[in-house]
Amino acid sequence: MNKLNKSISEIWSDNYVVPLYQRNYAWQEQQIRQLLQDIYDNSKDPESRYYIGSLVVLQRPDGVYEVIDGQQRLTTLHIICKYLGLLDAPHLTYDSRPEVEDFFKGLFMSATSREYVDECNKRDNRKIFRLVDAIDIVESTEIHTNPGSSKDEVITLSSMSESQIISFKEYLNNNVILVRTVLPNDTDVAAYFEIMNNRGEQLQEHEVVKALMMKKLNEKDRSVFSAIWDACSQMDIPIQKGVSAYRKNQEYPLFGKNYDTLELEYLAKYNIEDKLTSPLSIDKVLALPNKYINSEDVDKEAEAKYEAIIDFPNFLMHLFKLENSECQLNANYLLSTYNELKENINSMMFITTMLKMRTLLDRYVIKTQGENEEDENLKWIMLKPYSFWSKEKNSLTLKFRNTFSNRTDDANENEEEEDVQKKIIMQESMLQVSFRNKKYKNWLFDLLQWLNEKEIGNVDPKELSTFLDKWIVTYYHQLDKKTKPAPNTEWSFEALGTDTPHFIFNFIDYLYWMASRTKRTNVRYLDEVDNFYFRYYNSVEHHLPQSYEDTENVNVDNIANLCLISRRKNSSLNDKAPKEKAKIEPGLQPKRKIMYRITHDSNGLWGGKQILDHYKDIKTLLQCASEILSLDEPPLI
């Protein structure tokens, strides 16, 4: 069995080819970021081994290994190892894809990965854009040193200290393990590949946890537990829709007569319909029929697809953290965390908490509507359910409207309701795009913990908004204290360049937006701030490029010369002059738009004076944050 285990250095002692029947490289930021974070987390114990999955190959007559399964991971490792200097020649090719072949040849011929990205972006790279993006992501993705801890710092491969990068490289090269399986030469590769792609999936950890929790329950409780668990696990479907039979129960309506409360005491009232045997195996538990999920009375508007900002395993980690505040939010430790807590968990109390927290999450936490994170038309929504009498169906229909609407009919919200709704969506979306990784959403846990003390449907929007503002400002102060200023600077975020935390840019945009509404501070260009949405922008752009010859007396890494944009937009702007970049379009983030407006007002000039003036405005905004947000100095949360 040991012969199957290959360290990364052993993997690269051979050459590999991705056959034509394989799909193109498709990994994006989420997968690459997770891989780098997991390697870093495991490297803290230099004696440990980190197994990152399997690699199924077939050896061709020329000795090259044909990749049957695992090409996405292998391609990513190839790019990472080139970036770290662990490879000096390509060991991976693609059959009959000259553009990919040329990509890897060019990558290994270039002096630096950054130079090669810039070169690729100057030509048509539509067939290799995921590979080009991957280089950029590897270089700039944020790695957390101590996730969930007050000692946590954000680093990147490019900003690691010399000792950090040496230990990371050594661990990756020698302790990260792929299980490489070589198929017999007479294998029918086409048939094997089809089997691999149609194989059943193994049980997920949350399914195992469900079975373990149900093991000791009686027949009636199992039925209720299973129905609630299954409905809660469908994170992209409203919970009221998921348990429609309980919702529509005439005698004990779980969500009240108007579908917008939560009557937890009714869980004990529901009668069992299924005759279950005891004890149950895991397979039998997971095969329990669920009669409670249907959508006969759901309005078509409620069918619109949306996505929760966390998945079900991560939601479970939030529930476990409610049980023990020392728990991490990392779903990789779901089963081990449950095993640590199981002696103190009562299954029926846990499912009651789950239902309440899921109902709160649905109602008071934003969701997204859009194709994916890169969708420029991505929308943030926050909705609550209500019952509406449908004349067509001659029955009550489940519908949804803005969470903080006070209407009891089907009319539109008024201006005040829209205003408070919009502010809370701005606050939560600002936090969401700043903390994308599910296991670092401490803001969300703190919010859910705060909401857990409230009654469903009785959360004051002003109190909620104040709570979020306090969390945001407190986090800023904590970040300011632990961030070391750049050399020859005084303020933590004065001149960090591309290492400036993304939270700071989003916080500045939020403060500009709030200052434009409240007029509680005297900074320039507040009238330029208009409607915008927080986006998953992930690249720090220098408005005055670093490569300009006349920047000797200008600190281009000053935060006033920086803004967040999409990675692809950053690549297209490249080394263009500020005057060429400064195209004012609808929906621009406030800081970026103001930089562009200053450039226009200076006849296309953007240099030392403009940067210094904008810097003073930013400093004023951040110093007056509590005043702008009508807060006393917030306590630590």
Side-chain angles (χ1 to χ4, degrees), residues 334-451:
L334 178 61
L335 189 54
S336 61
T337 300
Y338 169 72
N339 286 328
E340 291 174 4
L341 299 176
K342 63 182 180 182
E343 298 302 322
N344 298 318
I345 291 180
N346 175 290
S347 296
M348 291 310 292
M349 289 179 64
F350 185 84
I351 205 69
T352 300
T353 301
M354 177 187 287
L355 178 58
K356 179 182 179 183
M357 299 310 296
R358 177 58 206 278
T359 307
L360 288 165
L361 183 81
D362 275 10
R363 186 170 182 138
Y364 299 109
V365 177
I366 55 169
K367 301 172 186 64
T368 62
Q369 282 186 331
E371 293 296 322
N372 52 54
E373 289 186 357
E374 296 178 8
D375 187 353
E376 283 294 322
N377 296 315
L378 191 74
K379 286 178 59 179
W380 305 101
I381 59 173
M382 188 168 60
L383 305 172
K384 69 177 181 181
Y386 70 102
S387 60
F388 178 75
W389 183 262
S390 171
K391 294 181 180 178
E392 287 182 21
K393 299 178 181 179
N394 195 32
S395 65
L396 289 177
T397 299
L398 175 63
K399 297 192 73 171
F400 293 85
R401 68 162 72 255
N402 286 342
T403 292
F404 293 106
S405 168
N406 291 316
R407 300 285 176 170
T408 56
D409 53 24
D410 207 30
N412 294 325
E413 286 76 41
N414 60 37
E415 187 175 340
E416 182 179 355
E417 291 167 355
E418 289 179 350
D419 192 60
V420 69
Q421 174 94 3
K422 184 172 184 178
K423 183 185 177 187
I424 293 172
I425 287 177
M426 290 293 278
Q427 292 169 304
E428 292 189 10
S429 59
M430 175 260 183
L431 290 166
Q432 168 62 11
V433 300
S434 299
F435 304 101
R436 301 169 67 177
N437 197 311
K438 296 179 181 67
K439 59 186 178 183
Y440 307 130
K441 294 193 190 302
N442 294 314
W443 72 269
L444 179 58
F445 172 76
D446 289 337
L447 173 58
L448 291 176
Q449 191 174 40
W450 183 82
L451 288 170

Side-chain angles (χ1 to χ4, degrees), residues 592-604:
R592 183 177 166 199
K593 182 178 181 182
I594 289 168
M595 288 167 59
Y596 289 0
R597 176 57 64 195
I598 294 171
T599 305
H600 282 284
D601 290 350
S602 303
N603 297 316

